[in-house]
Structure formats: C-alpha cells, structure tokens
Amino acid sequence: MIHLVSVVVLLGSGIVAGVFFAVAVSVLPALAAMSPDRYLHTHQLLGKGYHPAMPLLVNATLLADIALAVLVGPGTARALLIATAVGIVVVEAVSHLCNAPINKEVGRTSAQAPPADWRDPRPRWRRWHMVRTAAALLVLVLNSYAVTLGG
C-alpha cells in the first residue's frame, strides 16, 4: 500500500509543480505580451481547461500526502510528508484566495471592450502564481525525499 500511495504522491505533486512551472515560463510571458483585449479573451479560454482538473488534482495530492504520512509511521519521512501537506495547503490557499478572485474578475470583463478604467491584473496574478509555483516545487522536492526515506 505504501508503494501505491507513494506513486500517487509523486505523480500528483509532480503534475501540479509541472503545470505551474509551465505556466510560469511559457504561458505568463505570452499573456504579458498581449494587448488587453487579446489577454482577456485568452485568459478566459485558458481558465476553462484548468477547472476543475487542477483543484481536484491538488486535493487528491493533499489526501495522498496525509495517507502516506499515516502509513509510513513516525520518523523523518512522516515529518516531511506533514510539511508537504502544509505546502499543498499553501498552494490551495494562494489559488483560492488570490488567483481565483482575479480569474473571476477577468471572467467578468468584456474582452471586446475592456473598460477605460481597467486595471491590468497580470502583475498581481503573476506574483501570486509564482508563490504557489515555489510552494508546489518545494512540495515535489520534499515528497521525493520523503518517499526515498519511507521506501
């Protein structure tokens, strides 16, 4: 059972970190280069692909980390898995409290006619995305180490 849950933990944290990394190094620079109307339209389209897949994946990874922490027993691996669970909660909190409200704001804004007083959300969205990307990468590293110790 430990090996199966370890695979789920590594796949989940690897996919989450990989998706966030890809967004950071490829999608964000492309969005930053767009005019406001093209950015709004593209952001609205991109959001449809991430929901509900990413929240489900992040939650599944959290549950797998908790399960693995229980299965491995006391020691360094458990401490690392508890730390990774906290890291995933950070990813969820930043996503839910910071990036999601910006996504909703972008979704309500007309791409055909952005308002004259439109405040470009790209810098704020990027900052919060980089926070959750760093957390997700740290979770992947710690999960990898924990699985190595626990296996």
Side-chain angles (χ1 to χ4, degrees), residues 15-106:
I15 292 169
V16 170
V19 167
F20 286 167
F21 180 79
V23 168
V25 301
S26 182
V27 175
L28 290 179
L31 292 174
M34 294 178 183
S35 63
D37 59 329
R38 291 187 71 197
Y39 158 73
L40 288 165
H41 179 72
T42 304
H43 188 125
Q44 291 164 359
L45 290 174
L46 288 171
K48 292 177 184 178
Y50 284 101
H51 303 288
M54 285 303 289
L56 289 173
L57 182 60
V58 172
N59 285 323
T61 304
L62 173 61
L63 293 175
D65 267 322
I66 292 168
L68 191 57
V70 170
L71 291 170
V72 298
T76 304
R78 176 179 277 172
L80 289 169
L81 290 163
I82 291 168
T84 63
V86 170
I88 293 173
V89 170
V90 168
V91 169
E92 290 180 325
V94 170
S95 295
H96 182 71
L97 299 172
C98 303
N99 290 96
I102 297 169
N103 292 343
K104 288 177 184 173
E105 174 188 323
V106 168

